[in-house]
Amino acid sequence: MPRHLPLATPRAVVSSSEGAAMPYRGPLDWLNFLLADVKGALGPYIGIYLLTEQHWNQAQIGFLATVAGIVGLIIHAPLGAFIDATHWKRTAVVAGVGVLTISALSIAIMPSFPVVLTAQTMMAVAGAVFGPAIAAITLGILGSHGLAYRMGRNAAFDHAAT
């Protein structure tokens, strides 16, 4: 029985040893599926909210998006190194979701320019945590055996949600 089963393989074909070796299949699938909306969908909604409900101009919204994007690019490598070094990878994911939640609520409660700029920047930082953390969790669960298959499955569930 091949160890790297295609996505469409019926569950009955998976041997008991394969099923026992992948007890985290469902939770990792759901984590990737649910985080896709959290990390990717907030930016456009915030931009439309600020434009239509708060009557901000497009230059202000573009500036916020640019600053958040640059911060996200700059912080990716240091956060990846932090995720590699820490033993609290699941805590990093939960903390990232918490930061996203607080940031989104702060924009809804007080949509002033400094608050939104800070919240957007924090959202970019929190969003940079998810990719390295999920990859590290996956590597920690599987080791190098089956990692390519599982990373592909992670990406499939991430893209299925968007």
Side-chain angles (χ1 to χ4, degrees):
M1 171 73 59
R3 299 297 266 173
H4 304 288
L5 300 171
L7 206 62
T9 302
R11 191 164 181 86
V13 174
V14 177
S15 69
S16 61
S17 65
E18 185 74 23
M22 300 281 279
Y24 293 99
R25 173 179 270 178
L28 276 173
D29 292 345
W30 279 108
L31 180 64
N32 281 286
F33 186 80
L34 295 173
L35 279 181
D37 280 343
V38 171
K39 66 183 177 184
L42 284 175
Y45 287 117
I46 290 170
I48 291 181
Y49 167 74
L50 293 173
L51 182 67
T52 60
E53 298 295 320
Q54 299 301 318
H55 308 292
W56 285 31
N57 66 43
Q58 293 175 358
Q60 290 172 310
I61 297 168
F63 177 76
L64 292 173
T66 301
V67 170
I70 290 170
V71 168
L73 285 172
I74 292 170
I75 201 71
H76 240 80
L79 273 177
F82 169 75
I83 294 295
D84 284 345
T86 187
H87 295 287
W88 299 1
K89 292 162 183 37
R90 289 179 295 176
T91 305
V93 171
V94 172
V97 171
V99 168
L100 285 173
T101 303
I102 291 168
S103 297
L105 288 174
S106 67
I107 291 171
I109 292 169
M110 191 185 320
S112 67
F113 190 83
V115 170
V116 175
L117 180 62
T118 303
Q120 282 282 92
T121 303
M122 294 307 297
M123 287 175 151
V125 171
V129 167
F130 298 132
I134 291 173
I137 290 169
T138 303
L139 180 61
I141 291 170
L142 294 176
S144 62
H145 175 73
L147 182 64
Y149 168 76
R150 182 63 236 189
M151 292 302 288
R153 189 173 171 96
N154 286 353
F157 276 87
D158 181 57
H159 293 300
T162 54

